Each structure stands twice: as structure tokens, then as C-alpha cells.
Amino acid sequence: MTSTTSTNATSTSTNDATTPWEKLVVSALLGTDRRTPPTDLTGGGKDAPVALLDAAALHTVRRRAGLLPARAGHRPEAAPHDGRRPLPEAAGRRLALLLADRSAPSGGGRRGAAPDLGELLPQWLAAANQQGYRAPAAALPALLDAARARTDLRPQTLMFTGPRGLWLAGLNPEWKFALRGAPGSSALPRARDAEAVGRLWEEGLFAERIALLSAVRAEDPETARALLATTWGTERAEDRLMFLDSLRTGLSAADEPFLEQALSDRSRNVRSTAAELLSALPGSAFAQRMAARAATCVSMDRTGGGQVVVVEAPHECDTDMQRDGVLPAPPTGRGERSWWLGQLVEAAPLGTWPARLGGRTPEEIVALPVLDEWADELHAAWCRAAVRQRDARWSAALLGPPSASPAGGPGTGPGTSSLAERAQLLATLPAAERSAWIASFISAHGLSEAFQLLGVCAVPWAEPVGRAVVDALDIARDAGSYPWSFSGVMGLAERCLDPAEAARLELLTATPDEPEGASPGAGGYWSEAFQRLVSTLRLRAAMLAELTGPGTPYGERRGEPLGAPSGAP
């Protein structure tokens, strides 16, 4: 039935052909065997296919010659002026290479000795933004394409492309991500434009409203809270949770009244988030209530000479505790009382404990023995509290000595043995103290457990960290391991080592003699890996020099396709 219908439709269409061009098209579609081209169009005397093509060529020229000029469309507005200084010539060429390498095929799984240019693009963008350069106009499409493919590039890319990037993104739907929440985005009104802010808050998409709330809060926190309060009661629970979570940035005592109200929210997740935010404000009434509850659970054991901590976990989770965000039902495998205790202690201000536990310092408190195997629960809650309250003194105490075994267990000393908790605690320490701790940890335990900790180090790595990592890699090579067992650390080293280390690493690029029993070919692979590391460090050094040194402006003439910037000199 379908075939018959289709055939009938084709037959009707071919019979409807009236113009010379349509008749030629019908012959071409059906084939000259089934539909001979009209001789009045082809002239005859030739094979039908040749005659049809000749006639088609003739009528194509005739049709094009007969086209009437169309009315020109509106020209887009000129790109806004970007007053930042242009890139030096060498830096512009480097950017073009990095962007070209980003889209090039990888060439297989083996990396070889050549640097991975695409992995250097984030550093290049960050350095260019620090120097206050504007993006070359010709590079804007490739930069926006790169940011579209990699979300981690977007903040630095949008800062670098600036108002011209936003202008260009408005002309291509594939770059619409740039218009959502970007600094200076035309999609977001200024906080003082109450009418535009209110309209977008009422009518915008969720992502636009989140971006708007964050932008307004950054400029005027009080206005942001007032804006959120206007629709709080009508928002969906999942939206209220996201809006509340956005208050983490710039959290202050002025947020306490709003968060206190959120403790009575009908959504449990919203109540928990409000409680978590309030616990990060040690002076809040919520924190004081939690401190009073937690203090009744933890004390010194008077019968043991006052040198042992005793824990009496809560026996119930009453309505007041639940109103303050304490979840009554524990996760699978967790006891109720330990679950309630952990929530109380992590929400209580850490300043509670020195006075509660005999005037001791955090280091002395963490070192105290705890009765009845409550130590792990208590220390874990203190770790969460130290991270939440950004308390460096308590974090250092809970980290324990770097020499403590990563696997934990008896004899590892006070504090936590969890690498995840250690990484979070390290992030609260001053940069120098953090680097010294991690360097000592690597020297004591090698690299197998260090990857998670290295992620919290400032870039470039401080000298102690860089030296510890390189020494550990050298030891791994001498032990006969293959370099891909440390590919994660090696990749971090390429991006994070100080470029000044390149000269010192040159000695490691030689291929060593393979001792008896060593992994076959390991020496050559290590040589290749260190060659790539040295090449990458030298490339990073050259990148920074190109961005910081004097040079001829790059690509300004090629910026003309964007139009003469309005207001440009």
C-alpha cells in the first residue's frame, strides 16, 4: 500500500511539471530510460543522458542569471570595546598552537616524549588573565569552541574573551553557555537594576536564576537575600536546596536569620543544608544550641584521674534536635547513637572543647585516649567540624604527624588516617604549612598514597613538594617500576612543578642500564617520561616569558572582522 501510494505521488508530481527546469528535473530523477527529456529543451541529436546534462547546464546558467537581488539583512551591532592590552606577538602564536593541538587527534595511547599542549591551555589562560590581556579577535571562535568542549576551561576562557566573546557567543547558539552567568554577561542585569533583576528572577530559567542570585549576592548580599525571600515559599524543594547552597559563597552572620527560618522548611534536605551553613557560623544561636548538646555527650572521665575522654552518646533524637537538622535515621550499618553523636559534634563550634576538656589545646585534646572505642567517631566528627569551620589549628592537630601510616591502625598516632579527610584538612592550612606536611608525607610513604593530597597544593608546587615528588619518582625508577604506574603523579608534575626544576631534572632523562631482574624496557620508558616532563617544564617557562615580557601586539589587524569596536580609539 505504501509503495503504491508513493508511486502514485511520484506520478502525480512528474505529471505536474510545467516549467522547462521542472521537466528536466523529472527526467533526471526518473532516469532518461523512463522519462525521455523533452526534445524542445535538449535539441535532439545526442544521447539522452548527454542531452539532459547539456540542457541542465544551460538552464542552470539561465536561472542564475535571472535571479533578482535580495534585500540585505541587518548588520549586527559592532562588538563592544575591550580596553585591555593586546597580547604580545609570541604569546599570540603560542595560543594558536595550543588551540590547534587541542583539536588534533591524540595519535594513540602512548604519549611519547612530546608535551601535551592541550593540558597547558588552562595555565596559559590563567597567566594571560593575570597579566590583563584581551583575546585576539581571530582566536575568539576557537576559544569558545574549546570552552564548549571543556567545562573546566570556561571561567578562564570567558574572562579572557571578555565582552567581545559574549558578543560573538550571542550570534551562535552553540556558544550560548557563555551567556549564562558569565561576568559582564549581557544576560544578567546589574544588582541595582531592580526592575530587570526582578523580571529575570520571575521569568528566567533555573540556571539563569542561580547565576543571577550569585551575581547579585557578590555585589549586594542583602539585596540577594531579599530577592530570594520574595519567592522562597513557592519554589520547588530541589530549587530551594540549590538556592540555599549558593549562600555558601560569602556566608556571614547577616545570613543567620534567613538560615534560621530555613531550619523549619518542609524539605529535610533544605533543613540539613541550612543547619550545615549555620554550623559554619560559630557565633550563631544554632551553633550554641549544638554546642550545649554536644558538650553533654563528651567530657573527661573523673574516675580515671582526668586524663581520659568519656563519651555518652544521645539516647534519643528529640524534635528540637530534628528541627536543628539532626537526621534521626542512620544509614545502613550505622548505629543510631553514634549517628546522632557525630552530627552534634560536627555542628558544634570547636571552641567548645578546650573549655570542656580541662583547658587543653587542640593537640592535647586529640592526643587524649577515648574510652569504649568512641575515638574514631569523635575524631571523624572533629575532622568534619574543622573543615566546615576552616580551623587551621584543629586541622593540624587532627592531621597528625606525616609519618603516621596512611593505612591507620594501632600506633599511628592521633588524628585521622583517612586520605580523603587528610586532603580536606590540608586545604584549610596555610600554603607553606600544607606543602611542608605533604613533602614529609611523600618522603615517608612514597607516591602511591600521595595523589589525592597533591591535588590541594598551590601551583607551582613549593620547592619541598617538588623535590619530594621528583625524589620519589627517581626511587620508583630505581626499584624497577614502570612509569605508567605513576602516570597520574607524572601528569600532575608536568602541570604543577616549578619550571625552574627543568635543569635539575635533565640528569634523569638518560636511559639507565637495566639491572638483572628489572622490568624489561622500564629504563627506556622512564627516560621518555622524564624527557616529556623536562620538555613540558621548559615549554611552561617559555609560555610565561612570552606573557610577561615586552612584545609586538598580536593579531590586532585580524580583529577587524568583528567590526570597528564602538568607542575604540
Side-chain angles (χ1 to χ4, degrees):
M1 180 64 73
T2 304
S3 174
T4 304
T5 304
S6 174
T7 302
N8 291 339
T10 303
S11 177
T12 302
S13 175
T14 56
N15 292 332
D16 291 341
T18 56
T19 66
W21 178 255
E22 289 174 341
K23 292 176 181 176
L24 292 173
V25 169
V26 169
S27 294
L29 291 174
L30 295 179
T32 53
D33 291 339
R34 297 177 59 191
R35 179 61 61 89
T36 303
T39 53
D40 60 325
L41 299 178
T42 60
K46 301 179 182 175
D47 291 339
V50 175
L52 174 64
L53 292 175
D54 287 347
L58 175 64
H59 283 271
T60 297
V61 174
R62 180 177 295 167
R63 282 164 57 85
R64 289 178 179 173
L67 288 177
L68 297 176
R71 184 180 296 277
H74 294 290
R75 296 186 62 183
E77 296 291 331
H81 176 57
D82 189 341
R84 294 174 294 177
R85 56 186 178 140
L87 272 177
E89 180 75 20
R93 290 196 300 270
R94 181 74 65 189
L95 173 62
L97 287 174
L98 296 180
L99 290 171
D101 188 78
R102 180 193 64 83
S103 56
S106 61
R110 186 174 173 184
R111 297 182 55 191
D116 187 344
L117 297 185
E119 290 302 314
L120 298 180
L121 186 56
Q123 284 195 8
W124 190 96
L125 289 169
N129 285 327
Q130 286 176 356
Q131 296 298 321
Y133 291 120
R134 68 167 176 259
L140 291 179
L143 284 164
L144 291 172
D145 277 342
R148 175 171 170 259
R150 285 180 57 176
T151 55
D152 62 310
L153 289 178
R154 290 181 182 177
Q156 293 291 348
T157 301
L158 294 179
M159 184 182 297
F160 183 52
T161 55
R164 290 183 172 189
L166 295 178
W167 173 87
L168 190 60
L171 302 176
N172 186 343
E174 292 190 348
W175 299 330
K176 61 183 179 183
F177 68 87
L179 306 178
R180 296 174 181 165
S185 169
S186 58
L188 295 180
R190 298 296 301 271
R192 295 177 182 175
D193 189 348
E195 181 180 351
V197 167
R199 184 167 56 251
L200 184 59
W201 183 251
E202 293 288 343
E203 302 173 359
L205 301 174
F206 178 71
E208 293 171 330
R209 300 178 73 208
I210 282 284
L212 175 67
L213 183 64
S214 300
V216 174
R217 182 172 173 80
E219 192 170 342
D220 187 346
E222 185 175 351
T223 300
R225 285 192 299 273
L227 183 68
L228 185 55
T230 58
T231 58
W232 181 257
T234 60
E235 303 285 357
R236 299 183 306 164
E238 53 267 37
D239 292 352
R240 292 199 305 278
L241 181 62
M242 294 299 294
F243 289 140
L244 199 64
D245 196 64
S246 70
L247 300 186
R248 291 181 191 277
T249 303
L251 184 69
S252 71
D255 296 315
E256 183 182 353
F258 187 89
L259 295 173
E260 274 286 345
Q261 289 185 358
L263 286 175
S264 302
D265 195 89
R266 53 188 180 277
S267 165
R268 186 183 67 179
N269 289 333
V270 172
R271 294 197 301 272
S272 296
T273 301
E276 181 184 345
L277 293 176
L278 280 168
S279 68
L281 300 172
S284 67
F286 168 87
Q288 298 309 310
R289 294 196 298 271
M290 299 303 276
R293 292 177 180 126
T296 62
C297 300
V298 182
S299 61
M300 299 304 298
D301 179 24
R302 302 301 176 190
T303 63
Q307 300 299 319
V308 180
V309 174
V310 62
V311 173
E312 181 67 21
H315 290 273
E316 63 173 344
C317 184
D318 57 34
T319 54
D320 287 342
M321 289 168 63
Q322 294 183 44
R323 193 263 176 189
D324 279 343
V326 178
L327 302 178
T332 303
R334 186 88 179 268
E336 285 185 332
R337 294 183 64 198
S338 65
W339 174 243
W340 298 333
L341 173 72
Q343 293 179 80
L344 294 182
V345 173
E346 73 176 90
L350 288 163
T352 303
W353 303 113
R356 178 66 179 168
L357 301 176
R360 292 176 170 84
T361 65
E363 294 78 7
E364 293 169 338
I365 291 173
V366 171
L368 285 172
V370 182
L371 285 180
D372 300 330
E373 299 183 347
W374 282 104
D376 288 346
E377 192 70 49
L378 190 59
H379 286 183
W382 278 337
C383 284
R384 295 193 294 274
V387 172
R388 188 179 294 182
Q389 297 171 35
R390 311 296 298 172
D391 192 310
R393 177 86 183 268
W394 272 88
S395 292
L398 290 160
L399 275 167
S403 58
S405 170
T412 58
T416 178
S417 58
S418 162
L419 283 174
E421 288 178 345
R422 283 179 169 178
Q424 291 178 320
L425 293 170
L426 281 167
T428 69
L429 300 184
E433 188 176 348
R434 188 187 322 161
S435 297
W437 196 97
I438 294 174
S440 297
F441 180 89
I442 294 173
S443 299
H445 308 292
L447 290 170
S448 58
E449 306 285 349
F451 184 79
Q452 198 167 0
L453 304 181
L454 287 170
V456 300
C457 289
V459 178
W461 287 338
E463 184 181 354
V465 175
R467 190 173 296 275
V469 168
V470 172
D471 289 347
L473 288 172
D474 194 17
I475 291 172
R477 181 186 65 166
D478 292 343
S481 301
Y482 283 115
W484 43 79
S485 299
F486 302 90
S487 57
V489 174
M490 191 65 87
L492 271 180
E494 291 174 20
R495 297 189 295 275
C496 304
L497 264 179
D498 191 326
E501 295 283 336
R504 194 172 70 86
L505 292 171
E506 188 70 46
L507 292 175
L508 299 177
T509 61
T511 303
D513 297 331
E514 292 187 2
E516 185 176 353
S519 303
Y525 292 127
W526 274 108
S527 173
E528 191 175 77
F530 280 120
Q531 287 176 39
R532 183 175 62 250
L533 177 57
V534 171
S535 299
T536 304
L537 294 180
R538 287 182 171 152
L539 183 57
R540 286 174 51 208
M543 280 171 32
L544 294 175
E546 292 162 356
L547 287 166
T548 54
T552 304
Y554 171 80
E556 288 305 285
R557 184 170 297 280
R558 280 175 286 174
E560 290 177 358
L562 284 177
S566 60

